[in-house]
């Protein structure tokens, strides 16, 4: 049985640029770095960066993205730091909780989000969308 996410790997075209973005802009903790990659921590989540010369040239059009948790107290400062890094914002927030949707230097869609599943479900139950069904 799957018990959680073990790690997330991002393909990167420029390791140094990505390492700086993830550690200095997003604040991930560096654990190890070598010529073709790096290991970082985002809270308790292991993030791997790996040099890949096949990194996409454009952002994928679909909605798929990874959202990282941030406290409401830290949201504004981190959001300002991300925007100050001149990344592309790919969507305005349309859900409960504070969110910022942005593109990393390699075209990966990311989000910082200051809420949780419990709050999302409570909000959905208060104003359900079409054909919404709950299992818990």
């Amino acid at each position: 049985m799957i018990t959680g996410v073990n790690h997330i790997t991002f393909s990167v075209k420029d390791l140094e640029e990505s390492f700086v973005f993830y550690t200095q802009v997003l604040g991930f903790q560096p654990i190890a770095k070598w010529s073709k990659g790096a290991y970082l921590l985002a809270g308790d989540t292991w993030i791997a960066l790996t040099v890949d010369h096949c990194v996409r040239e454009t952002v994928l059009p679909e909605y798929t993205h990874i959202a990282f948790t941030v406290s409401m107290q830290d949201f504004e400062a981190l959001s300002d730091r991300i925007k100050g890094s001149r990344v592309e914002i790919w969507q305005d927030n349309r859900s409960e909780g504070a969110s910022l949707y942005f593109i990393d230097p390699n075209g990966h869609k990311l989000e910082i989000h200051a809420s949780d599943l419990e709050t999302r479900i409570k909000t959905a139950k208060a104003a359900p969308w079409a054909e919404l069904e709950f299992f818990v």
Side-chain angles (χ1 to χ4, degrees):
M1 176 170 75
I2 293 174
T3 59
V5 175
N6 183 275
H7 67 278
I8 299 167
T9 299
F10 291 111
S11 293
V12 302
K13 60 184 171 257
D14 181 323
L15 180 62
E16 192 56 36
E17 175 187 41
S18 296
F19 186 82
V20 167
F21 178 77
Y22 280 92
T23 60
Q24 294 181 18
V25 176
L26 297 186
F28 292 5
Q29 178 186 352
I31 300 300
K33 183 177 165 195
W34 61 100
S35 63
K36 300 287 184 192
Y39 292 150
L40 316 169
L41 283 177
D44 293 332
T45 304
W46 169 17
I47 305 295
L49 305 178
T50 187
V51 174
D52 184 343
H53 300 292
C54 296
V55 171
R56 67 183 59 93
E57 295 294 319
T58 60
V59 175
L60 297 177
E62 78 240 7
Y63 186 71
T64 301
H65 66 282
I66 297 172
F68 295 102
T69 302
V70 62
S71 71
M72 197 60 230
Q73 295 86 345
D74 294 335
F75 181 83
E76 188 174 338
L78 181 54
S79 182
D80 289 346
R81 194 164 68 227
I82 291 168
K83 290 174 186 174
S85 75
R86 299 167 48 171
V87 297
E88 178 185 345
I89 304 302
W90 64 272
Q91 173 178 290
D92 291 330
N93 185 24
R94 297 184 298 264
S95 64
E96 54 63 51
S99 284
L100 178 68
Y101 299 83
F102 57 97
I103 308 292
D104 86 344
N106 303 284
H108 302 293
K109 289 181 176 179
L110 304 176
E111 172 188 1
I112 57 169
H113 186 65
S115 190
D116 57 21
L117 179 59
E118 181 180 338
T119 303
R120 176 70 50 94
I121 296 302
K122 189 182 295 183
T123 302
K125 285 181 176 180
W129 48 88
E131 301 178 32
L132 178 61
E133 183 177 357
F134 294 99
F135 299 99
V136 291

